Amino acid sequence: MSDWREKVKKVVPYIPGEQPQIKNIIKLNTNENPYPPSPKVFEVLESADASAFRKYPDPDSKELVGALSEVYGVDEKRIFVGVGSDDVLGMAFQTFFNSDLPVLFPDITYSFYDVWCDLYGIKYDIKPLNPDFTINPEDYKGENGGVVIANPNAPTSLAMGIDKIEEIIKANSDSVVIIDEAYVDFGGESALPLLDKYENLLIVRTFSKSRSLAGMRIGFAFGSEEMISYLNAVKNSYNSYTMNMLSIKCGKAALLDREYFKNTVETIIATRDKYAEVLKGMGFEMPKSSSNFYFAKHKTVDAGIIFEELKKRNIFVRHWNKPVIKDYLRITVGTDKEMEALCSALSEILKEQA
């Protein structure tokens, strides 16, 4: 007799950063924004009409798409929205990566990429980063079924210049090139100026980082009108009502409060640069970050020990016990107060391990 388990799709899932359910912690492990969203978002929530929730939301998210068009100067027909950039990326993998050739992406990058490939039965070929964690464009010029580049990359925090991004896009006219710009607002160079030049380019972004709306799950993509039409067809074959009413309205409010967005991003960048020097003075080595986090290695103390010791003190950072990066910690940039507490704890730990 057949066992039903034989018919189950078995995959190794993506493991997100820990979400502790305890109070009084310093959470620097999932690159969330340490500041609240725009006050305009609070106004939306305070005036929300709960009786409207009995109806389905707008399947086309016209309010949000219109605001994205206004802020970024991209035609509405070239914009796709989804439930966080993970949803957008997942839809893009299903839509555009359907050849017998492998999709290419770095060996050290957002660890959801290979999970989606395994889930959707997509062949892939990972390309090693250079010893300094930079990407070599030459690795992405061979025959392939698509390319995915996170820029700035995670967890390395490094950004590629638009010239190298264009080099990769130009070399892959027969494939879709996805540029994942989750962290671009913190110092990366966006591929947006290339959108009119290359019809094989898809740019994916999120509200989870720079706009402080990780809990609302809002992601979006820019591409050619044809490309976006294919994405919408796949989305509407899966779930037409992906974006809920509150997310649409809160996303619009956050987008249109440009001054608050600018001030928040500038504050995070200033804190990042300030405490990068402090951490270096404590014996940490790290690339120059173009994101809202550090990719840091201590010269003498094991990263796993530091990770566990910080956790004992209710300070959460990220550590992967994997080849090449096991000596590194990914540390989200928090408020100045949180960074001071982190550095104080690190000072204690390093003295104990000396």
Side-chain angles (χ1 to χ4, degrees):
M1 181 179 291
S2 175
D3 191 311
W4 62 268
R5 295 171 184 82
E6 295 175 6
K7 304 178 182 68
V8 173
K9 179 183 280 286
K10 299 178 180 69
V11 294
V12 178
Y14 170 77
I15 301 174
E18 196 171 352
Q19 296 288 343
Q21 301 301 308
I22 55 177
K23 295 181 179 179
N24 301 318
I25 66 167
I26 295 176
K27 191 170 181 298
L28 306 174
N29 66 331
T30 50
N31 299 341
E32 295 147 324
N33 197 308
Y35 300 104
S38 161
K40 301 294 184 184
V41 172
F42 289 84
E43 292 175 13
V44 169
L45 294 173
E46 288 167 3
S47 62
D49 177 13
S51 65
F53 297 163
R54 64 189 175 82
K55 297 181 180 180
Y56 287 110
D58 173 15
D60 298 319
S61 304
K62 292 186 183 70
E63 271 192 84
L64 181 59
V65 170
L68 285 163
S69 177
E70 178 182 339
V71 169
Y72 289 101
V74 177
D75 188 275
E76 292 184 17
K77 293 179 181 178
R78 303 182 71 180
I79 300 172
F80 177 84
V81 297
V83 186
S85 59
D86 288 341
D87 180 47
V88 176
L89 286 162
M91 290 289 176
F93 273 52
Q94 292 183 74
T95 304
F96 302 117
F97 298 157
N98 292 288
S99 79
D100 292 328
L101 296 170
V103 172
L104 310 180
F105 48 84
D107 61 339
I108 300 170
T109 190
Y110 187 30
S111 52
F112 226 138
Y113 298 157
D114 58 339
V115 173
W116 282 316
C117 285
D118 290 337
L119 180 63
Y120 303 136
I122 300 168
K123 295 178 182 177
Y124 62 96
D125 182 13
I126 57 175
K127 300 296 183 179
L129 295 178
N130 294 324
D132 63 354
F133 296 124
T134 56
I135 289 172
N136 181 5
E138 295 299 321
D139 290 337
Y140 300 88
K141 293 182 179 180
E143 201 175 24
N144 62 72
V147 175
V148 187
I149 300 289
N151 192 46
N153 196 14
T156 67
S157 81
L158 289 171
M160 292 178 71
I162 195 169
D163 55 335
K164 291 186 177 180
I165 290 292
E166 182 169 16
E167 188 179 337
I168 293 172
I169 298 167
K170 189 175 182 180
N172 289 284
S173 59
D174 293 333
S175 301
V176 169
V177 177
I178 298 176
I179 306 298
D180 182 354
E181 295 188 342
Y183 300 100
V184 75
D185 292 323
F186 299 105
E189 193 174 6
S190 177
L192 198 55
L194 303 176
L195 199 61
D196 290 333
K197 196 172 179 181
Y198 298 99
E199 62 179 11
N200 62 322
L201 169 63
L202 187 75
I203 300 168
V204 179
R205 292 195 183 181
T206 181
F207 280 56
S208 297
K209 313 300 180 183
S210 57
R211 297 191 187 275
S212 308
L213 286 174
M216 276 286 174
R217 311 308 301 129
I218 306 172
F220 58 104
F222 301 125
S224 68
E225 185 176 337
E226 182 180 14
M227 185 177 281
I228 297 305
S229 72
Y230 291 139
L231 269 174
N232 278 315
V234 170
K235 185 204 82 165
N236 290 327
S237 301
Y238 174 72
N239 180 4
S240 295
Y241 303 105
T242 53
M243 185 70 64
N244 69 66
M245 290 180 180
L246 278 179
S247 291
I248 291 170
K249 292 186 177 297
C250 288
K252 176 183 176 181
L255 270 172
L256 298 182
D257 194 347
R258 304 187 196 199
E259 188 65 23
Y260 183 85
F261 166 74
K262 178 176 177 288
N263 291 339
T264 302
V265 168
E266 287 178 351
T267 299
I268 292 170
I269 290 172
T271 299
R272 178 194 71 197
D273 294 347
K274 173 184 175 181
Y275 283 94
E277 296 307 311
V278 175
L279 290 168
K280 288 175 185 176
M282 300 173 72
F284 284 92
E285 299 173 341
M286 67 191 79
K288 180 173 175 55
S289 176
S290 294
S291 61
N292 67 334
F293 59 87
Y294 309 107
F295 190 53
K297 175 179 76 171
H298 196 267
K299 293 177 182 178
T300 59
V301 183
D302 181 87
I305 292 173
I306 296 173
F307 171 78
E308 293 296 341
E309 289 298 322
L310 284 173
K311 197 171 178 180
K312 290 176 184 177
R313 293 164 171 80
N314 284 344
I315 300 175
F316 291 79
V317 298
R318 198 84 193 265
H319 177 245
W320 290 270
N321 189 21
K322 295 181 177 180
V324 184
I325 62 171
K326 63 182 178 62
D327 294 331
Y328 287 81
L329 297 169
R330 194 191 68 189
I331 305 170
T332 304
V333 177
T335 63
D336 278 12
K337 184 177 180 181
E338 288 173 330
M339 298 308 293
E340 287 172 11
L342 168 72
C343 290
S344 177
L346 286 172
S347 181
E348 289 179 6
I349 294 165
L350 295 177
K351 284 179 183 177
E352 291 172 0
Q353 299 299 318

